[in-house]
Amino acid sequence: MRRDQVIRRRPQRVIAAWIVGIVLLMVAGLTGWVSALLLAGESVPPLETAGTLSWGSPVVLTLGALLLLVGVLVLCAAIWPGRPVVHGIAPSSGTSADHVGDLTYFVTSRGLGRLAEGEARRTDGVTSAGARSTGRRISVVARSDAAELAETRREIQERIDRRVRTLQPRVRHRVTVHVRSGGTS
């Protein structure tokens, strides 16, 4: 096992949960509708014809293929990994008194976003800033009162790139900066 795999992130199962939730909601709604019709004494034509179907009929085969497709989609969505939550950082090359053995350091995606936001806020002329880090990208949106927005954007970009480079993450992050004119948002 490599050193940067000490902390294992669990992939998010959001897509699989949505698919299963929608399918269950549809089944529950259909069951409720059919139950209400049966309690009211109404006849439900699909249930009457269901008794006459054989396993080889096109309706049953189509329904089976549809259920198989939904099952495969849910399985693929559950296996597919989510976005990285933690990023490995190279340990500092200098040794200190509190350095013990080979340590592996990590920073969360949220931590990288806060770091980028702090660097943007410390830039001259910036009145407000927000940042978000997902996977290999760091996106920053800032507002500035400066006359030259392109210069402010370049300065923010350099500050964040320099700060992230000092961390030496194992994965290179792409930083995008958007600067808008105006006061606080």
Side-chain angles (χ1 to χ4, degrees):
M1 175 169 43
R2 293 185 350 224
R3 288 265 184 218
D4 60 346
Q5 291 179 337
V6 174
I7 294 179
R8 294 182 185 193
R9 66 174 174 86
R10 291 186 179 187
Q12 297 177 355
R13 308 286 193 228
V14 175
I15 296 172
W18 271 98
I19 293 171
V20 169
I22 289 171
V23 168
L24 287 177
L25 186 63
M26 289 172 38
V27 168
L30 183 64
T31 303
W33 177 64
V34 169
S35 298
L37 286 177
L38 290 175
L39 286 174
E42 301 279 328
S43 66
V44 183
L47 289 181
E48 292 174 359
T49 58
T52 63
L53 295 175
S54 67
W55 285 106
S57 70
V59 174
V60 173
L61 291 176
T62 304
L63 185 61
L66 183 66
L67 289 174
L68 178 68
L69 179 66
V70 169
V72 168
L73 285 175
V74 170
L75 182 65
C76 288
I79 292 173
W80 199 270
R83 292 180 181 159
V85 177
V86 294
H87 306 279
I89 296 176
S92 61
S93 58
T95 58
S96 64
D98 59 346
H99 181 73
V100 180
D102 290 333
L103 298 177
T104 303
Y105 300 96
F106 294 91
V107 65
T108 63
S109 294
R110 176 183 255 178
L112 279 176
R114 286 183 177 172
L115 181 82
E117 181 179 329
E119 288 299 320
R121 286 179 190 260
R122 282 190 282 277
T123 305
D124 289 337
V126 173
T127 56
S128 67
R132 182 176 173 182
S133 174
T134 56
R136 297 173 181 243
R137 300 189 71 178
I138 300 173
S139 302
V140 179
V141 177
R143 290 198 178 270
S144 175
D145 288 334
E148 188 60 41
L149 295 180
E151 180 65 29
T152 304
R153 189 198 70 75
R154 185 188 59 73
E155 187 177 343
I156 292 171
Q157 177 95 29
E158 287 176 359
R159 286 180 72 112
I160 294 171
D161 282 338
R162 189 174 335 122
R163 181 73 166 141
V164 171
R165 250 193 335 265
T166 60
L167 291 177
Q168 299 176 359
R170 298 192 194 284
V171 176
R172 184 164 161 72
H173 290 81
R174 184 172 157 225
V175 179
T176 57
V177 179
H178 299 286
V179 179
R180 299 180 180 142
S181 65
T184 58
S185 51

